[in-house]
Amino acid sequence: MSRELRLRIVSGVILGILVLAATWAGGIWFRSLSVLIMVLVHYEFSTITNAPVKAPLANAIGWLSVLATAGFILTSLPSMALAAIIIGAAGAVLAGVIRGAGLWSATAVLYAGFSGLALAEIRGEGHFGLFAMLFLFAIVWSTDILAYFCGRALGGPKLAPRISPGKTWSGAVFGAAAGVGAGVGVALIVRQGGGLMIPLIALILAVASEIGDLFESWVKRRFGAKDSSQLIPGHGGVMDRVDGLVFAAFAAFLLGNLLPLADHAGVADELAARLLGL
């Protein structure tokens, strides 16, 4: 085992323990974790796109928006947090029109802001929020791990060679299948039952996780960055670790606020309903 791989495993285990502890505790602890992820993601995204140099005004507006969003998340004011994100992104776009190069700053606000808000809202305060986050973590982590190892072992046609040359269709398919299996497994353990809604939601979140991975790869490739930063030993940056989780959380948050699902077939679907905010 190489030194880099050992470092990657150790730091991954430590991070996993800290994240699961905050998830278990909930409340201010998980909201603080969500805010920390949001702030670090915004820092990395802004750094990758060189926003402080190319769009200083838009970048400053973005930071004000993210800090305001952090305050609203910590004080459990999601509507105000959402407003801060939208206003900040709009302000960054306007600054870009006036001074140039503001679009990437607006994207950073949306990407980071919705990351923090979606995670905090999915976890919530009660035990159903805990189940929801474990459901989400199981899907994202299983998708990421199996996609990596199956892709390397099986090879085959590339998924998106211009964006991420290492990713294959075999990895994507097996990763999504693993995500569905993990989601169904958590639902069965938590509620000892299940309906068709569980694997469907798990598949949507697994695919969203893979899209998030591709999106971050595209941004880094667009700006010639290998890692989003060097904040995590052996892993690169925070964005490198949460890219799939961010998009899966986006998907869960949007589904919960857009889909008018009312009738659930079984007790396990109560978990899916809570995950989606219904």
Side-chain angles (χ1 to χ4, degrees):
M1 185 183 295
S2 67
R3 179 180 178 276
E4 182 179 356
L5 182 56
R6 289 197 301 271
L7 183 62
R8 185 181 181 91
I9 292 173
V10 171
S11 60
V13 169
I14 292 173
L15 284 174
I17 292 172
L18 293 175
V19 168
L20 289 175
T23 304
W24 179 270
I28 188 63
W29 295 101
F30 192 83
R31 291 199 300 274
S32 297
L33 174 64
S34 300
V35 164
L36 178 62
I37 290 173
M38 177 184 68
V39 170
L40 293 178
V41 164
H42 187 263
Y43 160 74
E44 291 180 347
F45 204 116
S46 301
T47 302
I48 290 173
T49 58
N50 201 22
V53 174
K54 293 183 177 180
L57 177 59
N59 184 59
I61 292 173
W63 271 113
L64 288 174
S65 169
V66 166
L67 293 177
T69 302
F72 292 132
I73 290 175
L74 290 173
T75 52
S76 298
L77 295 171
S79 297
M80 296 297 291
L82 179 61
I85 294 167
I86 294 173
I87 292 171
V93 170
L94 181 60
V97 171
I98 298 173
R99 301 286 295 274
L103 186 58
W104 283 109
S105 292
T107 305
V109 171
L110 294 173
Y111 185 81
F114 279 122
S115 300
L117 178 59
L119 289 171
E121 286 301 290
I122 292 170
R123 174 58 182 91
E125 299 291 339
H127 61 282
F128 279 112
L130 171 62
F131 299 155
M133 284 308 307
L134 294 178
F135 182 73
L136 186 62
F137 285 151
I139 292 169
V140 172
W141 291 346
S142 297
T143 299
D144 184 52
I145 292 170
L146 266 292
Y148 176 78
F149 284 106
C150 289
R152 288 176 65 90
L154 300 175
K158 301 298 184 181
L159 178 63
R162 293 186 178 181
I163 297 175
S164 184
K167 293 180 174 59
T168 63
W169 277 102
S170 62
V173 170
F174 278 94
V180 172
V184 171
V186 169
L188 289 171
I189 292 170
V190 170
R191 294 309 240 177
Q192 298 170 357
L196 292 178
M197 191 63 65
I198 296 290
L200 177 60
I201 293 171
L203 178 60
I204 291 172
L205 299 185
V207 172
S209 174
E210 294 179 333
I211 293 173
D213 195 346
L214 286 174
F215 174 77
E216 199 235 2
S217 295
W218 174 71
V219 172
K220 291 191 297 184
R221 194 172 186 83
R222 168 71 173 74
F223 290 93
K226 181 180 182 294
D227 297 312
S228 59
S229 74
Q230 298 299 322
L231 290 176
I232 305 175
H235 286 271
V238 175
M239 280 178 60
D240 297 322
R241 293 301 92 212
V242 303
D243 49 5
L245 177 63
V246 163
F247 266 56
F250 289 169
F253 184 78
L254 290 175
L255 284 172
N257 286 279
L258 295 178
L259 289 184
L261 301 177
D263 298 323
H264 309 294
V267 290
D269 288 332
E270 184 179 356
L271 170 61
R274 178 60 187 85
L275 170 66
L276 299 177
L278 301 175

